[in-house]
Amino acid sequence: MSTDFYNISILPFSGIIIKLCRAYTNSQEDFEDYYQEVCLQIWRSKENFREESQWSTWVYRISLNVCLTLLKKKKNNIQHFVSDSVMDEETENNYAFSDESLNLLYDAIRKLSEIDRAIIMLYLEEKPYKEIADIIGTNPNNIGVRVKRIKNRLKEILDGKIN
Amino acid sequence: MEKSIENIWKEGFLKSDALVAPKINNLYTKKSIHIIDKFKRMFRINLIAIVAFSFIFLVVSFFIGIPLTGVILFITLSVLVVINKKLLNGLESINKSVSSYEYLKTFNEWIKKQVAVNKKISTFLYPVIFASIILGFWFEKTEGTPLKERLISEIIIGFPDTYLIYGIPLIAIIILFLILGLLAFFGGRIYMWDVNIIYGRVFRKLEELMADIESLRS
């Protein structure tokens, strides 16, 4: 990969990738693997960028699609989608941030379904419902309802944990 | 008072350590761990192995006196390679920068198509391989006499009442067709069983993701 491409086109948007990869992984090792893979796939797909959307939205789409279909090797060598295994395993290193509340919020987000995770991440990034619907490929009218439902679910999970 | 999740998010990411990108090394040369790239690698390796095997076996078959087996296998495996090369091209064209629904749908359709095509191929492949081996040895000549002539003359001597059709014992024809039928019946099932062991969980996960997005589209 050209260092220039990474520094100019990916690094300024690394925040998006980091936030998303954290939601789909449960250890530092997995997170770093996912981050690298997303960067690699962005670089490989750069010819598909048509300037019909913002670069940040395009980066978000690739990051999300890659995270949804990445395979992780578990210790027993069986391949799984990582998001699937997050639910089953004891988390190894959830405390990636120094902010305790943010760590707890991430823990709660990881308990959601993969698509709900994507929706709430986009919502928290203050993307309008129309853009969330475009990225996911769904109907904008249903996004508002789903966001409300997800927020209630997160409140239930976080109930009493954060002041 | 409890903080809203929006505030937790905003305040949490204001801290300087929250968004430090990990150091990446040799990214360009790194082997991709993405499922589509894994499929591509697997397909390429399989196709190269099939081409190499069919060529080597074709040459060897002439030396060991079963050229018919070699030729039939070569033609069959060449068809298999052409079909799977086309499937591989479909995989190459999957765009990761479209919406998640479109991306997952295209990928899911590709998987279903490749499974359906290879299941159908397996139904024919095992019987063809078996038939080619039988035919190869049937016409194989040892000391100038084909195996079929030696075999039939021995059967006729041993069992003079054997009923023959075009010079072949009826019982042999029945057994042959029975084996071919069983291979055809189990060929597709063996393939599906194999695929489900390796990729069953991936397929189910894709279906779940699709179902979740479909529920949002309705």
Side-chain angles (χ1 to χ4, degrees):
Chain A
M1 171 187 273
S2 151
T3 311
D4 283 349
F5 180 82
Y6 178 74
N7 287 335
I8 295 166
S9 305
I10 297 182
L11 205 52
F13 302 94
S14 61
I16 296 169
I17 306 169
I18 291 168
K19 287 174 184 174
L20 205 55
C21 290
R22 286 275 180 213
Y24 286 92
T25 56
N26 63 338
S27 71
Q28 184 64 20
E29 193 190 344
D30 283 345
F31 163 71
E32 286 176 12
D33 283 348
Y34 271 52
Y35 181 84
Q36 286 212 11
E37 188 63 34
V38 167
C39 293
L40 180 65
Q41 297 298 339
I42 290 171
W43 180 73
R44 283 188 183 176
S45 304
K46 64 185 188 298
E47 310 301 328
N48 293 330
F49 181 61
R50 297 277 175 266
E51 298 187 12
E52 288 159 357
S53 60
Q54 289 182 328
W55 177 255
S56 62
T57 306
W58 190 81
V59 166
Y60 213 107
R61 280 182 187 209
I62 296 207
S63 307
L64 176 60
N65 287 340
V66 170
C67 283
L68 285 174
T69 48
L70 255 180
L71 286 172
K72 175 203 168 196
K73 262 190 180 169
K74 280 179 102 174
K75 280 165 193 162
N76 61 6
N77 244 13
I78 297 170
Q79 292 173 339
H80 297 294
F81 278 109
V82 73
S83 46
D84 195 33
S85 56
V86 165
M87 304 294 288
D88 310 332
E89 286 179 358
E90 281 291 315
T91 50
E92 293 168 28
N93 181 14
N94 279 343
Y95 304 107
F97 310 108
S98 60
D99 187 300
E100 183 64 16
S101 301
L102 187 59
N103 285 323
L104 290 170
L105 178 58
Y106 257 100
D107 274 352
I109 288 172
R110 288 189 193 100
K111 290 191 169 76
L112 302 171
S113 75
E114 291 85 338
I115 301 299
D116 282 355
R117 272 181 244 182
I119 292 171
I120 200 66
M121 300 289 287
L122 287 159
Y123 166 79
L124 290 169
E125 286 298 295
E126 297 179 337
K127 302 278 183 198
Y129 290 165
K130 166 105 182 47
E131 198 174 332
I132 298 175
D134 280 348
I135 291 172
I136 305 285
T138 182
N139 183 347
N141 299 331
N142 294 338
I143 293 290
V145 180
R146 181 65 77 97
V147 166
K148 204 175 167 187
R149 210 181 293 164
I150 299 169
K151 282 173 73 179
N152 286 336
R153 171 99 176 97
L154 288 175
K155 275 179 198 158
E156 270 173 37
I157 299 169
L158 293 169
D159 188 30
K161 289 182 183 169
I162 299 172
N163 292 317
Chain B
M1 187 188 148
E2 279 193 8
K3 276 191 208 173
S4 68
I5 61 163
E6 292 87 345
N7 282 339
I8 298 168
W9 188 260
K10 268 184 207 160
E11 288 170 20
F13 283 111
L14 285 178
K15 297 193 176 170
S16 60
D17 70 330
L19 292 172
V20 179
K23 200 178 171 210
I24 50 173
N25 298 313
N26 305 321
L27 191 60
Y28 183 65
T29 51
K30 192 177 173 285
K31 202 171 169 185
S32 172
I33 55 167
H34 192 262
I35 184 172
I36 292 183
D37 291 306
K38 284 184 175 209
F39 267 120
K40 282 182 196 170
R41 276 202 297 272
M42 186 188 77
F43 257 67
R44 281 199 202 102
I45 291 167
N46 284 352
L47 293 183
I48 290 168
I50 293 169
V51 168
F53 170 78
S54 59
F55 263 112
I56 292 167
F57 190 76
L58 180 66
V59 175
V60 170
S61 70
F62 277 88
F63 283 103
I64 60 175
I66 49 168
L68 201 55
T69 306
V71 171
I72 294 172
L73 269 186
F74 183 78
I75 293 167
T76 309
L77 295 177
S78 297
V79 172
L80 181 73
V81 167
V82 170
I83 292 170
N84 275 284
K85 179 71 179 70
K86 277 186 182 170
L87 284 170
L88 179 61
N89 293 343
L91 191 61
E92 302 275 5
S93 64
I94 293 177
N95 186 353
K96 295 186 188 83
S97 61
V98 292
S99 73
S100 298
Y101 177 72
E102 212 178 316
Y103 163 72
L104 292 170
K105 194 175 169 219
T106 316
F107 184 39
N108 202 26
E109 279 171 358
W110 178 85
I111 283 180
K112 280 185 177 165
K113 190 180 170 187
Q114 84 94 13
V115 168
V117 168
N118 280 298
K119 188 184 170 192
K120 209 172 275 180
I121 289 172
S122 300
T123 308
F124 294 101
L125 189 66
Y126 295 111
V128 168
I129 290 171
F130 178 71
S132 71
I133 293 168
I134 297 293
L135 283 171
F137 282 103
W138 192 247
F139 292 106
E140 189 239 352
K141 285 180 184 172
T142 308
E143 294 167 4
T145 316
L147 178 70
K148 67 167 184 178
E149 285 175 21
R150 283 181 281 132
L151 207 63
I152 290 169
S153 60
E154 276 181 34
I155 289 170
I156 290 169
I157 293 164
F159 307 95
D161 297 335
T162 304
Y163 186 73
L164 301 175
I165 296 177
Y166 295 109
I168 305 166
L170 177 64
I171 187 73
I173 294 174
I174 291 170
I175 291 170
L176 183 72
F177 276 97
L178 199 66
I179 293 171
L180 288 175
L182 285 171
L183 287 172
F185 182 78
F186 287 111
R189 280 163 182 80
I190 290 168
Y191 172 76
M192 287 306 294
W193 180 65
D194 197 28
V195 160
N196 272 323
I197 287 174
I198 304 169
Y199 295 110
R201 197 160 173 170
V202 174
F203 297 162
R204 283 191 291 279
K205 201 72 209 169
L206 266 179
E207 294 287 350
E208 277 173 29
L209 288 169
M210 288 293 294
D212 205 359
I213 301 183
E214 295 274 9
S215 73
L216 272 169
R217 289 170 68 86
S218 56

